[in-house]
Amino acid sequence: MAVYVYGITAAEPPPALDGAHGVGDPPRPLRTVAGGSLDAVVSDAPEELRAGRRDVRAHQDVLDRLSDHGGVLPLRFGTLAPDDEAVRRTLQERAPGYRERLAALDGCAEYHLRASHRPEKPTAAEEGARRDSLAAEVTAALGPLARESRSSDPTGEDVLNVSFLVAQDEQPAFLDREARLAVEHGASAFRFRLHGPLPPYSFV
Amino acid sequence: MTVVPQSGAGPAAQGGGGNASSLYDVLELILDRGLVIDVFARVSLVGIEILKIDVRVVVASVDTYLRFAEAVNRLDLESGRKAPAQLPEVVGGLTEGGARGKTKGALSGAVEAVTDTFSESFRRGRGKDRDREEAAAESADADRRRPVRRAPPPTDDDVRVPVDEDTRPARRVHRRRDG
């Protein structure tokens, strides 16, 4: 029986999943598969998996829950293993690497920041210049408060797309500084959108 | 999921935790990041490798956006450069595991990536223009190699075309090799 795999955790005790559900319609009950003193959180694979709101949110909700319960290595949406035994074997074989990464992520969360132009669009040249300076400014301001960061090419109307891995005790300072940036830029050119705390999708 | 309120932001970015726009913004993270375990298959890799989004409307939800994108024929399946060779086996297992008759569904919905107009136009010059229905009718193998679905740029009229999520045969692309 194929299983859908959500994430890997080293939490002790393992997360209590009674009554918790994941992807599918009806949502499939969650369970853990132990191996190499790690636990994978899985459910039976649904007959139909869709990258639409229902299943994406279910995936995200499970990982949120695991993040709150001692940390998680989030798997990419849509991961299927042939059966529980394959999951167990993989955990056993790769436990050292997973454990090391979980330790590096311990107590950290991802914050995902995007910025877009306000509706009055500048010329392409202006836009390029402002985009570059914005990215540099944001990285300079927030980078020191993060363990790691990861930028991507912004898509659509966005001009900034960057994730930060922030340790718990740095989160108030991070949020405070980000809020100030948002106010400064919000008054003029850019609209910021910050999401978090999230499971550390970008830092696995 | 939490949206951190941005005091310098407009109302569109405000909102409580778990709302639709926050899911939309993190969709790329959920679909395109996160740990990949090579010995496992990834269903949505059949078709989706990169999610690129060109937002021209205020998006109420992921599904609304995807419906919009489909309505204007700008859904694009970027062929998976890392398409998993082991996937057919696992999918076969899923089929054998009792889901026969419904297995097409297991691979159907994930085909929801959207490209930005410019790169799409660029690639279109090199790819084959095909109607989406034709693409859907292609064999699984051909489709996996290059699931190209191209269409003319959207018009304003297109934007208003309603597409019911549950009546979208074109999206239900069969990818089962043993189909």
Side-chain angles (χ1 to χ4, degrees), chain A residues 48 51 77 152 178 193 202, chain B residues 6 25 33 42 112 172:
Chain A
E48 179 176 26
F77 179 87
S152 304
E178 190 281 335
R193 309 192 304 283
S202 304
Chain B
Q6 305 285 283
D25 261 358
R33 297 189 188 172
R42 204 182 146 238
E112 296 165 347
R172 308 214 168 246

Side-chain angles (χ1 to χ4, degrees), chain B residues 67-104:
Chain B
R67 276 202 295 278
F68 158 75
E70 184 165 79
V72 299
N73 274 323
R74 282 169 53 220
L75 272 181
D76 174 67
L77 304 184
E78 186 143 343
S79 81
R81 286 165 299 185
K82 293 177 286 185
Q86 73 274 26
L87 188 60
E89 283 70 42
V90 175
V91 170
L94 185 61
T95 308
E96 302 306 324
R100 187 173 290 287
K102 287 281 286 183
T103 306
K104 74 173 173 91

